[in-house]
């Protein structure tokens, strides 16, 4: 080797010990380490498992750190109480041994003089937070002796359907698709829960502007039949409104024309 600013080279006998917190293969693929440097250093590789993979070492490591901190803090801590130790065994220790060491050092700072055992409240709260969350999730719910489960489920289903209908402005097809239902199934549930849609969504002929079409005449008709209201719509431009198709054959049979007249009279008789 050559020192900075020196013109002569000197021989040295060294051993390089390096550590990585990722696997060598991952480091090479992601470019964290250069391949030529890695292959120069990679003579003996020792894989150290994480503390989570060897939790049986936690108690022994804790005793080692406690002995060191007793000397540092001038205390005489004997160990860790059983509930605190069990909580430490359940924790996943992402920071490995260094995190364990710092957690115990934090406990020494929280202890009073004369205390001999590390208890749960001495250790950092994050060590037990996940454990308490899991206990909360697995704890059975506090329920009354009797409960109307079908009624609760029906109410929940009704509220979800009403909310989705509002989101899609009463469009049944889009609501059914969003809920993962067939349109017929959703229609059944609408009737079951008596859910009313907005009137604008009920597409019925009587709600369309028909009356302005009644006065429109028809020119060039080859039929001798009188132009009734419905027939006037048929022969006029009513198909432009989107609910009546244009007639393909204007020469209608007498019976067909009479049937149309009866339907028109019935419809407009009800609507006034």
């Amino acid at each position: 080797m050559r020192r900075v600013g020196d013109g002569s080279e000197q021989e040295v006998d060294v051993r390089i010990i390096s550590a990585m917190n990722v696997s060598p293969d991952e480091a090479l693929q992601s470019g964290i380490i250069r391949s030529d440097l890695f292959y120069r250093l990679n003579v003996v590789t020792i894989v150290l498992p994480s503390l989570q993979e060897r939790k049986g070492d936690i108690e022994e490591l804790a005793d080692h750190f406690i002995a060191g901190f007793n000397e540092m803090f001038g205390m005489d801590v004997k160990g860790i109480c059983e509930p605190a130790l069990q909580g430490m065994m359940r924790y996943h220790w992402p920071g490995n041994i260094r995190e364990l060491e710092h957690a115990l050092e934090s406990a020494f700072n929280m202890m009073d003089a004369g205390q001999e055992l590390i208890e749960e409240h001495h250790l950092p709260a994050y060590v037990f937070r996940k454990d308490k969350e899991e206990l909360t999730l697995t704890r059975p719910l506090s329920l009354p002796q009797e409960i109307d489960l079908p009624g609760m489920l029906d109410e929940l289903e009704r509220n979800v359907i009403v909310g989705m209908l509002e989101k899609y402005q009463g469009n049944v097809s889009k609501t059914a698709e969003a809920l993962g239902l067939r349109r017929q199934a959703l229609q059944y549930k609408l009737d079951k829960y008596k859910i009313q849609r907005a009137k604008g969504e009920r597409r019925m002929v009587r709600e369309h502007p028909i009356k302005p079409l009644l006065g429109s005449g028809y020119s060039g008709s080859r039929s001798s039949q009188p132009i009734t209201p419905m027939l006037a719509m048929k022969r006029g431009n009513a198909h432009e409104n989107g609910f009546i198709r244009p007639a393909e054959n204007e020469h209608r049979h007498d019976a067909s024309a009479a049937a149309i007249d009866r339907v028109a009279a019935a419809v407009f008789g009800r609507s006034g």
Side-chain angles (χ1 to χ4, degrees):
M1 60 170 292
R2 181 183 301 174
R3 295 177 179 176
V4 177
D6 192 356
S8 60
E9 294 182 352
Q10 298 180 8
E11 292 185 0
V12 293
D13 184 10
V14 298
R15 293 184 180 181
I16 299 176
I17 301 176
S18 59
M20 303 179 64
N21 58 0
V22 296
S23 66
D25 292 338
E26 182 181 348
L28 288 171
Q29 292 177 2
S30 59
I32 296 177
I33 186 173
R34 288 173 43 179
S35 59
D36 58 340
L37 176 61
F38 172 74
Y39 292 120
R40 286 178 182 271
L41 296 175
N42 186 29
V43 177
V44 177
T45 300
I46 301 175
V47 179
L48 296 177
S50 65
L51 188 57
Q52 184 179 10
E53 299 176 64
R54 50 191 180 103
K55 289 188 175 181
D57 295 343
I58 290 179
E59 188 171 2
E60 186 175 351
L61 290 168
D63 290 339
H64 168 74
F65 291 130
I66 288 174
F69 291 133
N70 275 332
E71 185 177 351
M72 179 186 301
F73 286 86
M75 300 175 67
D76 188 21
V77 177
K78 304 298 184 182
I80 305 172
C81 71
E82 190 61 27
L85 181 61
Q86 292 302 317
M88 293 171 64
M89 297 293 287
R90 286 189 292 265
Y91 184 58
H92 59 289
W93 299 106
N96 291 304
I97 296 176
R98 185 178 293 109
E99 183 182 10
L100 174 62
E101 180 183 8
H102 291 170
L104 292 172
E105 184 177 359
S106 173
F108 268 77
N109 282 280
M110 300 300 295
M111 296 177 69
D112 294 329
Q115 289 185 311
E116 296 184 348
L117 290 178
I118 296 176
E119 300 179 4
E120 290 179 284
H121 62 275
H122 295 143
L123 291 163
Y126 63 80
V127 175
F128 306 98
R129 185 176 299 125
K130 185 177 180 181
D131 185 42
K132 291 180 179 178
E133 290 175 356
E134 290 176 352
L135 289 175
T136 303
L137 293 175
T138 55
R139 184 179 302 161
L141 296 175
S142 177
L143 297 174
Q145 292 183 353
E146 295 183 2
I147 185 171
D148 182 15
L149 182 59
M152 292 179 62
L153 294 177
D154 286 345
E155 183 179 359
L156 175 62
E157 186 177 46
R158 187 184 191 282
N159 292 337
V160 171
I161 292 174
V162 170
M164 294 300 285
L165 271 174
E166 292 177 354
K167 179 178 181 180
Y168 291 99
Q169 300 179 353
N171 189 304
V172 177
S173 298
K174 291 183 178 180
T175 302
E177 183 179 358
L179 292 172
L181 299 173
R182 305 179 96 183
R183 195 181 193 281
Q184 294 85 345
L186 178 58
Q187 188 62 56
Y188 166 77
K189 293 181 184 296
L190 293 177
D191 296 338
K192 173 184 176 182
Y193 298 123
K194 297 181 174 57
I195 301 175
Q196 298 293 330
R197 291 177 293 157
K199 288 186 177 181
E201 292 297 322
R202 299 183 181 275
R203 302 184 181 278
M204 299 182 181
V205 174
R206 65 173 179 269
E207 294 178 358
H208 286 272
I210 295 177
K211 291 185 178 180
L213 296 174
L214 301 181
S216 60
Y218 184 79
S219 58
S221 173
R222 300 178 184 178
S223 174
S224 59
Q225 296 295 327
I227 301 179
T228 62
M230 183 63 76
L231 194 59
M233 295 192 314
K234 188 87 172 170
R235 294 178 177 176
N237 295 325
H239 64 276
E240 295 179 358
N241 292 299
F243 54 86
I244 297 179
R245 296 182 179 178
E248 298 178 357
N249 184 4
E250 296 184 3
H251 297 282
R252 313 295 294 177
H253 191 271
D254 293 346
S256 300
I260 293 174
D261 290 342
R262 288 195 298 272
V263 172
V267 172
F268 292 100
R270 287 196 300 267
S271 62

